[in-house]
Amino acid sequence: MPRQARLDAPQTLHHVMVRGLERRAIFRDDADRGDFVERLAALAERGALTVLAWACLPNHAHLLVRTGTRPLARSMRSLLTGYAGAFNRRHKRVGHLFQNRYKSVVVEEDRYLLELVRYLHLNPLRAGVVPDLRLLARYPWTGHSALLGTVARPWQDTRTILQQFGPTFPRARRAYRAFVAAGIPQGRRSDLQGGGLVRSLGGWAAVAALRRGREAYQGDERVLGSSEFVERLRQTVEDRPRPGTRTLPLDRLVARVCRRVGIAVAQLQAGSRRGAVTRARDGIAYLWVEVLGHPGRPLAPILGVRPQAVYQAARRGRDARAEWDRLLES
């Protein structure tokens, strides 16, 4: 069966599932879990993702995240590749850690947000990792303890969830705790699992190719939502193209940014650290990677830097995004 394109767009809610190869453990101890969570926190702190719920189980992990301007695929590649390499070094092993890449499902937020928060956070209880809700409230390896205020996770967006349960944090937490307890008898819910594994990078425009018809919409394995929700996604594609779908040849982009800061293109590759040259590198990297959605590695020789430095430059360029975005539109 052909692989379907991954669906993604700014400010889209995703349920992401990561599983160990052949159901093997991806977390052997708290050092592993801590490393994974630190990497997730770094993405949240940089604004790449908004993390609403998460859970680490021995052989898999669940994330409920909202994307920013950075594509989900880039954030997940950063998270999983970095974690797998560190895991292998820590445990003196080689080879793949994860089953394929990961599975992601676009979620209709109004309808499924709270249900998924509850479902994800009850995973350790269903799996027998913790015996009861009392211990789950202090278990550090899900976002549930952060919502209850027992484990500090300042990078997790707890406000979005708690404000739906009450006007003050104490009242909201009591109501949230009761809501989670009410979900225990429901057990495993296949209706919240999403569909099959999606591995290709196709982009948001693939929504336009979804088959028409109510049953087809409800059956698309990349979406958790109603037919009306999928229709709105399709209209989003038609009416408001994602910035990442804009095209501009790289040579024209480089020339345009260099003119803006007043340097010659050749100065980029000369290794100069002059302020104007660094600013040009930052602007080019931001527009090419963050806005246009291209990989950073091919840009490295053009900027005269290491591949990792391209992504660092793109993050710096984000601080002047208003200027660079206007330049792209000119």
Side-chain angles (χ1 to χ4, degrees):
M1 177 182 294
R3 294 172 181 172
Q4 293 176 294
R6 191 185 302 286
L7 305 183
D8 189 15
Q11 301 305 312
T12 299
L13 187 67
H14 297 265
H15 178 196
V16 180
M17 290 148 276
V18 182
R19 297 191 179 278
L21 183 67
E22 298 176 341
R23 300 187 178 182
R24 297 174 187 170
I26 59 174
F27 305 112
R28 295 185 182 178
D29 51 35
D30 283 353
D32 292 339
R33 285 180 277 270
D35 183 32
F36 184 87
V37 172
E38 285 178 11
R39 293 172 188 276
L40 180 62
L43 289 170
E45 289 165 350
R46 292 200 297 265
L49 296 171
T50 298
V51 181
L52 296 158
W54 56 278
C56 295
L57 285 300
N59 66 357
H60 67 286
H62 290 261
L63 308 174
L64 187 62
V65 298
R66 188 185 294 114
T67 50
T69 57
R70 184 179 185 177
L72 176 68
R74 245 195 76 199
S75 295
M76 292 304 299
R77 182 168 62 245
S78 173
L79 173 65
L80 300 183
T81 301
Y83 175 76
F87 181 95
N88 282 353
R89 289 190 296 273
R90 194 158 45 242
H91 297 292
K92 296 179 172 53
R93 70 180 296 274
V94 295
H96 295 293
L97 177 63
F98 299 111
Q99 175 182 301
N100 297 312
R101 292 182 64 246
Y102 61 92
K103 171 180 166 182
S104 64
V105 178
V106 173
V107 177
E108 184 175 5
E109 186 160 338
D110 292 344
R111 188 170 182 174
Y112 289 106
L113 173 62
L114 296 183
E115 290 292 336
L116 278 169
V117 169
R118 173 166 66 182
Y119 184 77
L120 264 64
H121 287 162
L122 281 172
N123 262 290
L125 195 65
R126 285 194 301 271
V129 175
V130 296
D132 54 43
L133 273 180
R134 182 181 60 83
L135 291 179
L136 183 65
R138 297 188 176 277
Y139 185 65
W141 307 120
T142 77
H144 179 66
S145 52
L147 283 165
L148 292 178
T150 56
V151 177
R153 302 287 188 192
W155 49 268
Q156 182 179 332
D157 180 7
T158 56
R159 183 178 297 273
T160 294
I161 305 303
L162 291 176
Q163 69 185 4
Q164 300 191 51
F165 286 95
T168 66
F169 282 145
R171 288 179 58 181
R173 283 171 175 148
R174 285 195 297 271
Y176 166 73
R177 191 193 304 267
F179 173 73
V180 172
I184 295 175
Q186 296 176 354
R188 299 185 182 277
R189 295 183 56 183
S190 59
D191 58 318
L192 298 179
Q193 297 289 330
L197 187 66
V198 181
R199 297 175 58 194
S200 60
L201 302 177
W204 189 243
V207 178
L210 291 176
R211 297 165 294 167
R212 292 186 175 274
R214 188 177 187 89
E215 293 77 11
Y217 283 164
Q218 290 177 335
D220 191 280
E221 59 191 14
R222 299 163 294 172
V223 180
L224 179 60
S226 63
S227 297
E228 292 78 10
F229 172 66
V230 179
E231 177 64 18
R232 288 197 299 273
L233 301 187
R234 187 186 63 79
Q235 291 174 355
T236 296
V237 174
E238 294 176 351
D239 299 339
R240 185 179 58 81
R242 177 187 172 192
T245 64
R246 288 177 285 180
T247 59
L248 183 68
L250 180 57
D251 58 346
R252 286 177 54 194
L253 174 66
V254 170
R256 190 177 293 184
V257 172
C258 287
R259 273 198 310 272
R260 173 73 178 183
V261 302
I263 67 167
V265 172
Q267 291 180 262
L268 293 172
Q269 298 179 347
S272 172
R273 295 188 179 181
R274 285 179 47 212
V277 177
T278 298
R279 185 163 160 253
R281 289 190 183 109
D282 295 349
I284 294 166
Y286 164 72
L287 291 173
W288 188 249
V289 175
E290 298 275 346
V291 177
L292 296 177
H294 297 293
R297 183 173 293 274
L299 189 58
I302 295 171
L303 299 185
V305 298
R306 294 175 294 103
Q308 183 58 36
V310 173
Y311 297 106
Q312 296 169 356
R315 290 196 294 272
R316 292 194 302 268
R318 193 188 307 153
D319 294 336
R321 63 169 67 90
E323 175 187 6
W324 301 126
D325 288 348
R326 286 195 301 270
L327 183 67
L328 190 64
E329 298 294 344
S330 63

